[in-house]
PDB file of all heavy atoms in Angstrom:
ATOM      1  N   MET W  13     110.762  81.720 114.301  1.00  0.00           N
ATOM      2  CA  MET W  13     110.890  81.744 115.739  1.00  0.00           C
ATOM      3  C   MET W  13     109.650  81.126 116.335  1.00  0.00           C
ATOM      4  O   MET W  13     108.546  81.553 116.023  1.00  0.00           O
ATOM      5  CB  MET W  13     111.051  83.188 116.210  1.00  0.00           C
ATOM      6  CG  MET W  13     111.077  83.334 117.703  1.00  0.00           C
ATOM      7  SD  MET W  13     111.461  84.987 118.207  1.00  0.00           S
ATOM      8  CE  MET W  13     113.121  85.127 117.632  1.00  0.00           C
ATOM      9  N   GLN W  14     109.866  80.125 117.126  1.00  0.00           N
ATOM     10  CA  GLN W  14     108.741  79.435 117.715  1.00  0.00           C
ATOM     11  C   GLN W  14     108.205  80.220 118.898  1.00  0.00           C
ATOM     12  O   GLN W  14     108.954  80.872 119.617  1.00  0.00           O
ATOM     13  CB  GLN W  14     109.154  78.028 118.146  1.00  0.00           C
ATOM     14  CG  GLN W  14     109.537  77.167 116.972  1.00  0.00           C
ATOM     15  CD  GLN W  14     109.873  75.757 117.409  1.00  0.00           C
ATOM     16  OE1 GLN W  14     109.851  75.426 118.565  1.00  0.00           O
ATOM     17  NE2 GLN W  14     110.173  74.927 116.431  1.00  0.00           N
ATOM     18  N   ASN W  16     106.691  80.372 122.501  1.00  0.00           N
ATOM     19  CA  ASN W  16     106.627  79.580 123.713  1.00  0.00           C
ATOM     20  C   ASN W  16     105.961  80.408 124.804  1.00  0.00           C
ATOM     21  O   ASN W  16     105.413  81.464 124.529  1.00  0.00           O
ATOM     22  CB  ASN W  16     108.021  79.098 124.132  1.00  0.00           C
ATOM     23  CG  ASN W  16     108.994  80.255 124.306  1.00  0.00           C
ATOM     24  OD1 ASN W  16     108.589  81.377 124.555  1.00  0.00           O
ATOM     25  ND2 ASN W  16     110.260  79.976 124.148  1.00  0.00           N
ATOM     26  N   ASP W  18     107.220  82.227 126.963  1.00  0.00           N
ATOM     27  CA  ASP W  18     107.876  83.516 127.113  1.00  0.00           C
ATOM     28  C   ASP W  18     107.922  84.199 125.750  1.00  0.00           C
ATOM     29  O   ASP W  18     108.764  83.898 124.921  1.00  0.00           O
ATOM     30  CB  ASP W  18     109.295  83.316 127.656  1.00  0.00           C
ATOM     31  CG  ASP W  18     110.044  84.626 127.801  1.00  0.00           C
ATOM     32  OD1 ASP W  18     109.402  85.688 127.780  1.00  0.00           O
ATOM     33  OD2 ASP W  18     111.271  84.575 127.945  1.00  0.00           O
ATOM     34  N   ALA W  20     108.705  87.217 125.071  1.00  0.00           N
ATOM     35  CA  ALA W  20     109.590  88.377 125.029  1.00  0.00           C
ATOM     36  C   ALA W  20     110.481  88.396 123.786  1.00  0.00           C
ATOM     37  O   ALA W  20     110.579  89.440 123.134  1.00  0.00           O
ATOM     38  CB  ALA W  20     110.412  88.463 126.302  1.00  0.00           C
ATOM     39  N   PRO W  21     111.149  87.281 123.425  1.00  0.00           N
ATOM     40  CA  PRO W  21     111.994  87.354 122.225  1.00  0.00           C
ATOM     41  C   PRO W  21     111.192  87.686 120.960  1.00  0.00           C
ATOM     42  O   PRO W  21     111.621  88.498 120.152  1.00  0.00           O
ATOM     43  CB  PRO W  21     112.608  85.956 122.132  1.00  0.00           C
ATOM     44  CG  PRO W  21     112.563  85.425 123.515  1.00  0.00           C
ATOM     45  CD  PRO W  21     111.306  86.014 124.115  1.00  0.00           C
ATOM     46  N   LYS W  65     121.007  92.797 113.857  1.00  0.00           N
ATOM     47  CA  LYS W  65     120.663  92.552 115.258  1.00  0.00           C
ATOM     48  C   LYS W  65     119.450  91.632 115.358  1.00  0.00           C
ATOM     49  O   LYS W  65     119.405  90.735 116.211  1.00  0.00           O
ATOM     50  CB  LYS W  65     120.396  93.879 115.976  1.00  0.00           C
ATOM     51  CG  LYS W  65     120.014  93.728 117.425  1.00  0.00           C
ATOM     52  CD  LYS W  65     121.106  93.060 118.248  1.00  0.00           C
ATOM     53  CE  LYS W  65     120.701  92.962 119.702  1.00  0.00           C
ATOM     54  NZ  LYS W  65     121.644  92.247 120.533  1.00  0.00           N
ATOM     55  N   GLY W  67     118.634  89.358 113.205  1.00  0.00           N
ATOM     56  CA  GLY W  67     119.157  88.032 112.875  1.00  0.00           C
ATOM     57  C   GLY W  67     119.863  87.389 114.051  1.00  0.00           C
ATOM     58  O   GLY W  67     119.669  86.204 114.332  1.00  0.00           O
ATOM     59  N   VAL W  68     120.647  88.165 114.765  1.00  0.00           N
ATOM     60  CA  VAL W  68     121.357  87.638 115.936  1.00  0.00           C
ATOM     61  C   VAL W  68     120.360  87.191 117.002  1.00  0.00           C
ATOM     62  O   VAL W  68     120.526  86.133 117.614  1.00  0.00           O
ATOM     63  CB  VAL W  68     122.340  88.691 116.492  1.00  0.00           C
ATOM     64  CG1 VAL W  68     122.859  88.296 117.867  1.00  0.00           C
ATOM     65  CG2 VAL W  68     123.497  88.895 115.522  1.00  0.00           C
ATOM     66  N   LEU W  69     119.316  87.974 117.226  1.00  0.00           N
ATOM     67  CA  LEU W  69     118.298  87.598 118.212  1.00  0.00           C
ATOM     68  C   LEU W  69     117.619  86.287 117.830  1.00  0.00           C
ATOM     69  O   LEU W  69     117.353  85.441 118.688  1.00  0.00           O
ATOM     70  CB  LEU W  69     117.255  88.705 118.352  1.00  0.00           C
ATOM     71  CG  LEU W  69     117.720  89.975 119.053  1.00  0.00           C
ATOM     72  CD1 LEU W  69     116.652  91.060 118.944  1.00  0.00           C
ATOM     73  CD2 LEU W  69     118.082  89.705 120.498  1.00  0.00           C
ATOM     74  N   ILE W  70     117.352  86.104 116.552  1.00  0.00           N
ATOM     75  CA  ILE W  70     116.706  84.877 116.102  1.00  0.00           C
ATOM     76  C   ILE W  70     117.654  83.691 116.223  1.00  0.00           C
ATOM     77  O   ILE W  70     117.249  82.613 116.660  1.00  0.00           O
ATOM     78  CB  ILE W  70     116.157  85.048 114.672  1.00  0.00           C
ATOM     79  CG1 ILE W  70     114.988  86.044 114.699  1.00  0.00           C
ATOM     80  CG2 ILE W  70     115.713  83.709 114.090  1.00  0.00           C
ATOM     81  CD1 ILE W  70     114.478  86.455 113.347  1.00  0.00           C
ATOM     82  N   VAL W  71     118.920  83.878 115.889  1.00  0.00           N
ATOM     83  CA  VAL W  71     119.905  82.801 116.061  1.00  0.00           C
ATOM     84  C   VAL W  71     120.018  82.433 117.540  1.00  0.00           C
ATOM     85  O   VAL W  71     120.058  81.247 117.893  1.00  0.00           O
ATOM     86  CB  VAL W  71     121.284  83.207 115.488  1.00  0.00           C
ATOM     87  CG1 VAL W  71     122.374  82.245 115.937  1.00  0.00           C
ATOM     88  CG2 VAL W  71     121.235  83.279 113.968  1.00  0.00           C
ATOM     89  N   GLU W  72     120.037  83.439 118.384  1.00  0.00           N
ATOM     90  CA  GLU W  72     120.113  83.172 119.829  1.00  0.00           C
ATOM     91  C   GLU W  72     118.897  82.386 120.302  1.00  0.00           C
ATOM     92  O   GLU W  72     119.024  81.404 121.040  1.00  0.00           O
ATOM     93  CB  GLU W  72     120.212  84.483 120.603  1.00  0.00           C
ATOM     94  CG  GLU W  72     120.287  84.289 122.099  1.00  0.00           C
ATOM     95  CD  GLU W  72     120.325  85.598 122.858  1.00  0.00           C
ATOM     96  OE1 GLU W  72     120.400  86.677 122.246  1.00  0.00           O
ATOM     97  OE2 GLU W  72     120.279  85.531 124.096  1.00  0.00           O
ATOM     98  N   SER W  73     117.726  82.804 119.870  1.00  0.00           N
ATOM     99  CA  SER W  73     116.502  82.110 120.261  1.00  0.00           C
ATOM    100  C   SER W  73     116.522  80.668 119.759  1.00  0.00           C
ATOM    101  O   SER W  73     116.191  79.739 120.493  1.00  0.00           O
ATOM    102  CB  SER W  73     115.283  82.843 119.702  1.00  0.00           C
ATOM    103  OG  SER W  73     114.106  82.146 119.986  1.00  0.00           O
ATOM    104  N   HIS W  74     116.949  80.500 118.510  1.00  0.00           N
ATOM    105  CA  HIS W  74     117.031  79.158 117.936  1.00  0.00           C
ATOM    106  C   HIS W  74     117.995  78.303 118.750  1.00  0.00           C
ATOM    107  O   HIS W  74     117.699  77.148 119.064  1.00  0.00           O
ATOM    108  CB  HIS W  74     117.495  79.231 116.487  1.00  0.00           C
ATOM    109  CG  HIS W  74     117.760  77.898 115.870  1.00  0.00           C
ATOM    110  ND1 HIS W  74     116.750  77.037 115.516  1.00  0.00           N
ATOM    111  CD2 HIS W  74     118.925  77.270 115.565  1.00  0.00           C
ATOM    112  CE1 HIS W  74     117.280  75.937 115.010  1.00  0.00           C
ATOM    113  NE2 HIS W  74     118.603  76.054 115.030  1.00  0.00           N
ATOM    114  N   SER W  75     119.126  78.866 119.099  1.00  0.00           N
ATOM    115  CA  SER W  75     120.127  78.114 119.864  1.00  0.00           C
ATOM    116  C   SER W  75     119.580  77.695 121.218  1.00  0.00           C
ATOM    117  O   SER W  75     119.779  76.569 121.659  1.00  0.00           O
ATOM    118  CB  SER W  75     121.388  78.962 120.054  1.00  0.00           C
ATOM    119  OG  SER W  75     121.958  79.255 118.806  1.00  0.00           O
ATOM    120  N   ARG W  76     118.893  78.582 121.864  1.00  0.00           N
ATOM    121  CA  ARG W  76     118.385  78.285 123.202  1.00  0.00           C
ATOM    122  C   ARG W  76     117.241  77.267 123.162  1.00  0.00           C
ATOM    123  O   ARG W  76     117.122  76.433 124.040  1.00  0.00           O
ATOM    124  CB  ARG W  76     117.909  79.557 123.890  1.00  0.00           C
ATOM    125  CG  ARG W  76     119.035  80.506 124.219  1.00  0.00           C
ATOM    126  CD  ARG W  76     118.539  81.703 125.007  1.00  0.00           C
ATOM    127  NE  ARG W  76     119.585  82.668 125.179  1.00  0.00           N
ATOM    128  CZ  ARG W  76     120.528  82.591 126.112  1.00  0.00           C
ATOM    129  NH1 ARG W  76     120.560  81.574 126.931  1.00  0.00           N
ATOM    130  NH2 ARG W  76     121.451  83.515 126.210  1.00  0.00           N
ATOM    131  N   GLU W  77     116.388  77.355 122.160  1.00  0.00           N
ATOM    132  CA  GLU W  77     115.205  76.501 122.117  1.00  0.00           C
ATOM    133  C   GLU W  77     115.448  75.219 121.323  1.00  0.00           C
ATOM    134  O   GLU W  77     115.343  74.118 121.858  1.00  0.00           O
ATOM    135  CB  GLU W  77     114.031  77.271 121.507  1.00  0.00           C
ATOM    136  CG  GLU W  77     113.608  78.476 122.335  1.00  0.00           C
ATOM    137  CD  GLU W  77     112.646  79.394 121.584  1.00  0.00           C
ATOM    138  OE1 GLU W  77     112.150  79.006 120.516  1.00  0.00           O
ATOM    139  OE2 GLU W  77     112.410  80.503 122.081  1.00  0.00           O
ATOM    140  N   CYS W  78     115.761  75.362 120.063  1.00  0.00           N
ATOM    141  CA  CYS W  78     115.829  74.209 119.162  1.00  0.00           C
ATOM    142  C   CYS W  78     117.031  73.314 119.435  1.00  0.00           C
ATOM    143  O   CYS W  78     116.912  72.087 119.382  1.00  0.00           O
ATOM    144  CB  CYS W  78     115.830  74.684 117.718  1.00  0.00           C
ATOM    145  SG  CYS W  78     114.336  75.618 117.295  1.00  0.00           S
ATOM    146  N   LEU W  79     118.175  73.916 119.685  1.00  0.00           N
ATOM    147  CA  LEU W  79     119.355  73.088 119.917  1.00  0.00           C
ATOM    148  C   LEU W  79     119.257  72.322 121.230  1.00  0.00           C
ATOM    149  O   LEU W  79     119.662  71.160 121.303  1.00  0.00           O
ATOM    150  CB  LEU W  79     120.628  73.934 119.884  1.00  0.00           C
ATOM    151  CG  LEU W  79     120.997  74.505 118.509  1.00  0.00           C
ATOM    152  CD1 LEU W  79     122.262  75.352 118.613  1.00  0.00           C
ATOM    153  CD2 LEU W  79     121.186  73.412 117.484  1.00  0.00           C
ATOM    154  N   ILE W  80     118.721  72.951 122.246  1.00  0.00           N
ATOM    155  CA  ILE W  80     118.532  72.251 123.521  1.00  0.00           C
ATOM    156  C   ILE W  80     117.589  71.068 123.327  1.00  0.00           C
ATOM    157  O   ILE W  80     117.833  69.961 123.811  1.00  0.00           O
ATOM    158  CB  ILE W  80     118.029  73.213 124.608  1.00  0.00           C
ATOM    159  CG1 ILE W  80     119.153  74.183 124.984  1.00  0.00           C
ATOM    160  CG2 ILE W  80     117.523  72.454 125.835  1.00  0.00           C
ATOM    161  CD1 ILE W  80     118.729  75.324 125.870  1.00  0.00           C
ATOM    162  N   ARG W  81     116.515  71.300 122.590  1.00  0.00           N
ATOM    163  CA  ARG W  81     115.559  70.225 122.313  1.00  0.00           C
ATOM    164  C   ARG W  81     116.221  69.114 121.492  1.00  0.00           C
ATOM    165  O   ARG W  81     115.999  67.938 121.728  1.00  0.00           O
ATOM    166  CB  ARG W  81     114.324  70.771 121.594  1.00  0.00           C
ATOM    167  CG  ARG W  81     113.208  69.758 121.447  1.00  0.00           C
ATOM    168  CD  ARG W  81     111.893  70.332 120.950  1.00  0.00           C
ATOM    169  NE  ARG W  81     111.993  71.344 119.919  1.00  0.00           N
ATOM    170  CZ  ARG W  81     111.782  72.657 120.130  1.00  0.00           C
ATOM    171  NH1 ARG W  81     111.467  73.110 121.312  1.00  0.00           N
ATOM    172  NH2 ARG W  81     111.885  73.523 119.141  1.00  0.00           N
ATOM    173  N   ALA W  82     117.067  69.491 120.553  1.00  0.00           N
ATOM    174  CA  ALA W  82     117.759  68.494 119.730  1.00  0.00           C
ATOM    175  C   ALA W  82     118.667  67.622 120.586  1.00  0.00           C
ATOM    176  O   ALA W  82     118.747  66.405 120.374  1.00  0.00           O
ATOM    177  CB  ALA W  82     118.564  69.183 118.632  1.00  0.00           C
ATOM    178  N   VAL W  83     119.334  68.223 121.542  1.00  0.00           N
ATOM    179  CA  VAL W  83     120.186  67.439 122.441  1.00  0.00           C
ATOM    180  C   VAL W  83     119.336  66.468 123.249  1.00  0.00           C
ATOM    181  O   VAL W  83     119.678  65.298 123.405  1.00  0.00           O
ATOM    182  CB  VAL W  83     121.009  68.367 123.366  1.00  0.00           C
ATOM    183  CG1 VAL W  83     121.664  67.576 124.484  1.00  0.00           C
ATOM    184  CG2 VAL W  83     122.051  69.130 122.550  1.00  0.00           C
ATOM    185  N   GLU W  84     118.208  66.956 123.745  1.00  0.00           N
ATOM    186  CA  GLU W  84     117.307  66.097 124.524  1.00  0.00           C
ATOM    187  C   GLU W  84     116.797  64.926 123.688  1.00  0.00           C
ATOM    188  O   GLU W  84     116.556  63.845 124.212  1.00  0.00           O
ATOM    189  CB  GLU W  84     116.130  66.909 125.069  1.00  0.00           C
ATOM    190  CG  GLU W  84     116.524  67.901 126.144  1.00  0.00           C
ATOM    191  CD  GLU W  84     115.417  68.874 126.484  1.00  0.00           C
ATOM    192  OE1 GLU W  84     114.368  68.893 125.781  1.00  0.00           O
ATOM    193  OE2 GLU W  84     115.588  69.637 127.454  1.00  0.00           O
ATOM    194  N   SER W  91     121.151  68.899 114.056  1.00  0.00           N
ATOM    195  CA  SER W  91     120.840  70.264 114.451  1.00  0.00           C
ATOM    196  C   SER W  91     122.043  71.191 114.271  1.00  0.00           C
ATOM    197  O   SER W  91     121.899  72.330 113.819  1.00  0.00           O
ATOM    198  CB  SER W  91     120.371  70.279 115.905  1.00  0.00           C
ATOM    199  OG  SER W  91     119.603  71.401 116.164  1.00  0.00           O
ATOM    200  N   LEU W  95     122.362  74.458 111.838  1.00  0.00           N
ATOM    201  CA  LEU W  95     122.795  75.762 112.338  1.00  0.00           C
ATOM    202  C   LEU W  95     123.979  76.299 111.539  1.00  0.00           C
ATOM    203  O   LEU W  95     123.995  77.476 111.156  1.00  0.00           O
ATOM    204  CB  LEU W  95     123.152  75.664 113.822  1.00  0.00           C
ATOM    205  CG  LEU W  95     123.624  76.966 114.474  1.00  0.00           C
ATOM    206  CD1 LEU W  95     122.551  78.038 114.379  1.00  0.00           C
ATOM    207  CD2 LEU W  95     124.017  76.717 115.919  1.00  0.00           C
TER     208      LEU W  95
END
Side-chain angles (χ1 to χ4, degrees):
M13 175 173 294
Q14 295 183 358
N16 56 24
D18 179 16
K65 179 61 178 176
V68 168
L69 289 172
I70 292 172
V71 167
E72 180 182 354
S73 176
H74 173 73
S75 298
R76 292 185 187 278
E77 297 168 11
C78 300
L79 292 179
I80 290 170
R81 188 170 39 254
V83 168
E84 291 169 352
S91 203
L95 180 60

